[in-house]
């Protein structure tokens, strides 16, 4: 008997799928079921849009704050009376301003003083209806020190120091219903039982927000008509940028040598930065909510892919019968999941950019779009798609051809 002839014909290797082929197969399911694909990607898009907006809007606000502080200066200090040793209300000495000016790095100083007067639109309004406004005595150099500007009219000046003239802060003017100054017939307000002519309206003063809610009158007029005793309530000091902390450390002792512990010194720019920090805390909360939305979107993608595997059993069985490997089937469905989430992420990034730009424009801020947030949004969405599609892809790959075609 002759020896059996062995068939030495090599077993053909399964065809390799290139990246382009994998993407084409992955997009097939999206093309055949476009409405389902859109609804599945919607959850991912909402989550990414929320996360991009939450990261970009605070960045825009921080840039606006930096620009604002750069324009106003961070070298402003304010000092006010604190508490006495026995817990009573302290007072600043009358010489507080000239004493502060004696500090070498100090470039300018001014003050305001609280009066007992109230400001009302007419004398027909009850005295207790103050609208939350205060009346302060001020000197003509105050505006330069706090970095404010007159929106309409003129500020207090030496020529009107003996006359009942007042200048309103921006908030005070709005609450009193005064929006402009007519030089021919300027408006009047009722302060402390006297009619005062409104000489000007100030713009916003971020470093001295108390000025925005006040009516300012001349120092001498306040003494003569409003019973002002002449003690400054808040002293504003401008110092050289490099010496702000040094001035801060000696300001209380210089202004009130006998009781420096009764003087409270503050840096207004720090209050603005603290406010921005509070806003960032809320941003972290919204970032977490965006993450939850993204997680829900990922669950939706996973559910869509599981259903897709069940509906396409015959397709999977036919491909396996024609020689497709488990790896190729797994790659097909994983690519579809990543594409689905990636497209949702791109749409979410675009929506987040539009929301950020619109909000920044409405607030007068520069629109800042962190590159990391934009690229990270697409990357995170693709990662969510890969995680969400892992189980459905493995399930499709393990499906026997005979069972799939049955």
């Amino acid at each position: 008997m002759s020896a059996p002839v062995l068939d030495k014909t090599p077993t053909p290797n399964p065809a390799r799928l290139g990246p382009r082929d994998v993407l084409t197969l992955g997009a097939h399911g999206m093309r055949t079921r476009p409405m389902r694909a859109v609804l599945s990607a919607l959850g991912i898009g909402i989550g990414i849009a929320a996360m991009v907006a939450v990261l970009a809007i605070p960045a825009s606000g921080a840039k606006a704050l930096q620009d604002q502080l750069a324009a106003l200066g961070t070298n402003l200090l304010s000092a006010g009376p604190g508490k006495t040793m026995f817990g009573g209300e302290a007072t600043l000495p009358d010489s507080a301003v000239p004493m502060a000016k004696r500090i070498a790095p100090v470039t300018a100083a001014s003050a305001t003083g609280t009066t007992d007067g109230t400001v009302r639109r007419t004398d027909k309004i009850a005295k207790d209806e103050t609208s939350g406004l205060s009346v302060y005595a001020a000197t003509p150099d105050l505006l330069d020190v706090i970095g404010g500007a007159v929106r309409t009219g003129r500020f207090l000046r030496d020529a009107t120091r003996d006359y009942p003239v007042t200048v309103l802060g921006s908030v005070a003017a709005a609450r009193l219903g005064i929006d402009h100054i007519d030089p021919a017939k300027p408006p009047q307000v009722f302060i402390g039982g006297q009619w005062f002519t409104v000489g000007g309206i100030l713009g916003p003063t971020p470093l001295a927000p108390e000025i925005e809610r006040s009516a300012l009158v001349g120092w001498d007029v306040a003494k003569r008509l409003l019973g002002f005793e002449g003690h400054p309530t808040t002293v504003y000091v401008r110092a050289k940028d490099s010496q702000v902390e040094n001035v801060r450390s000696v300001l209380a002792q210089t202004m009130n040598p006998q009781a420096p512990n009764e003087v409270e010194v503050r840096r207004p720019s720090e209050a603005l930065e603290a406010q921005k920090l509070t806003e960032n805390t809320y941003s972290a909360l919204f970032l977490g909510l965006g993450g939850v939305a993204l997680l829900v979107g990922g669950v939706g993608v996973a559910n869509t892919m599981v259903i897709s595997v069940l509906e396409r059993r015959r397709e999977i069985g036919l491909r396996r019968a024609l020689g497709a490997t488990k790896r190729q089937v797994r790659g097909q469905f994983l690519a579809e999941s990543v594409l689905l989430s990636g497209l949702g992420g791109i749409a979410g990034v675009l929506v987040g950019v539009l929301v950020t730009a619109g909000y920044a424009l409405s607030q007068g801020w520069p629109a800042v779009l962190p590159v990391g947030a934009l690229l990270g949004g697409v990357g995170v969405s693709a990662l969510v798609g890969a995680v969400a599609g892992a189980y459905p892809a493995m399930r499709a790959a393990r499906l026997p051809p005979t069972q799939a075609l049955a």
Side-chain angles (χ1 to χ4, degrees):
M1 294 179 64
S2 59
V5 179
L6 299 178
D7 185 5
K8 296 183 179 181
T9 304
T11 302
N13 294 323
R16 292 181 177 272
L17 294 179
R20 182 176 180 181
D21 298 322
V22 174
L23 291 177
T24 301
L25 287 173
H28 174 71
M30 297 172 57
R31 291 196 304 268
T32 56
R33 299 168 180 84
M35 183 56 66
R36 180 185 297 178
V38 170
L39 294 177
S40 300
L42 184 60
I44 299 290
I46 292 174
I48 293 296
M51 297 179 74
V52 170
V54 164
L55 291 173
I57 289 177
S60 301
K63 183 62 168 64
L65 177 62
Q66 292 174 2
D67 294 343
Q68 185 182 56
L69 291 178
L72 297 174
T74 58
N75 59 342
L76 178 67
L77 297 173
S78 65
K83 299 291 185 180
T84 64
M85 293 180 59
F86 302 101
E89 295 292 334
T91 58
L92 295 179
D94 295 348
S95 60
V97 173
M99 289 296 289
K101 291 180 178 180
R102 295 180 62 181
I103 303 174
V106 171
T107 58
S110 187
T112 58
T114 303
T115 72
D116 295 330
T118 59
V119 55
R120 291 166 286 164
R121 189 66 178 89
T122 71
D123 56 348
K124 307 300 182 183
I125 299 175
K127 186 177 181 180
D128 295 336
E129 296 293 332
T130 63
S131 299
L133 306 178
S134 302
V135 180
Y136 293 143
T139 54
D141 57 355
L142 173 67
L143 208 57
D144 294 333
V145 177
I146 65 174
V150 178
R151 179 163 60 86
T152 179
R154 303 187 66 172
F155 193 63
L156 302 173
R157 39 199 177 123
D158 291 334
T160 58
R161 62 185 305 169
D162 294 327
Y163 297 95
V165 175
T166 183
V167 174
L168 302 177
S170 56
V171 175
R175 292 181 183 177
L176 293 172
I178 302 174
D179 58 1
H180 70 282
I181 303 297
D182 184 358
K185 190 179 180 181
Q188 290 188 320
V189 292
F190 201 65
I191 301 178
Q194 304 282 335
W195 286 103
F196 278 68
T197 300
V198 179
I201 299 175
L202 302 180
T205 52
L207 294 181
E210 64 277 4
I211 300 298
E212 297 178 354
R213 299 182 296 274
S214 67
L216 303 177
V217 300
W219 203 270
D220 295 335
V221 172
K223 290 181 179 180
R224 180 164 53 88
L225 300 179
L226 303 178
F228 177 53
E229 296 180 355
H231 294 291
T233 305
T234 304
V235 176
Y236 302 95
V237 175
R238 286 280 182 181
K240 295 179 180 178
D241 293 334
S242 60
Q243 300 293 323
V244 174
E245 289 303 322
N246 292 333
V247 172
R248 185 177 188 173
S249 64
V250 301
L251 187 59
Q253 295 91 329
T254 304
M255 291 174 51
N256 192 353
Q258 297 180 348
N261 59 298
E262 297 180 1
V263 180
E264 293 184 354
V265 180
R266 299 173 295 274
R267 192 173 183 179
S269 59
E270 292 178 347
L272 290 178
E273 293 171 352
Q275 179 183 359
K276 183 54 63 179
L277 179 62
T278 303
E279 294 175 359
N280 290 339
T281 302
Y282 283 105
S283 298
L285 174 62
F286 288 117
L287 185 62
L289 294 177
V292 172
L294 188 61
L295 177 61
V296 173
V299 172
V301 170
N303 182 58
T304 299
M305 295 306 302
V306 169
I307 295 175
S308 179
V309 170
L310 295 175
E311 291 180 343
R312 296 162 66 184
R313 291 164 60 95
R314 292 184 179 276
E315 175 191 336
I316 296 170
L318 182 59
R319 289 198 62 221
R320 291 295 310 277
L322 292 176
T325 64
K326 292 183 178 181
R327 181 178 180 181
Q328 291 172 348
V329 173
R330 185 167 55 245
Q332 171 189 348
F333 284 91
L334 192 61
E336 182 175 338
S337 177
V338 172
L339 279 174
L340 190 61
S341 298
L343 292 177
I346 293 174
V349 167
L350 293 177
V351 172
V353 169
L354 293 176
V355 170
T356 300
Y359 186 81
L361 183 63
S362 68
Q363 298 294 319
W365 296 347
V368 178
L369 302 172
V371 177
L374 304 182
L375 297 180
V378 178
V380 168
S381 64
L383 178 62
V384 169
V387 174
Y391 170 72
M394 290 187 293
R395 181 172 179 174
R398 289 197 301 263
L399 197 62
T402 55
Q403 181 181 346
L405 291 172

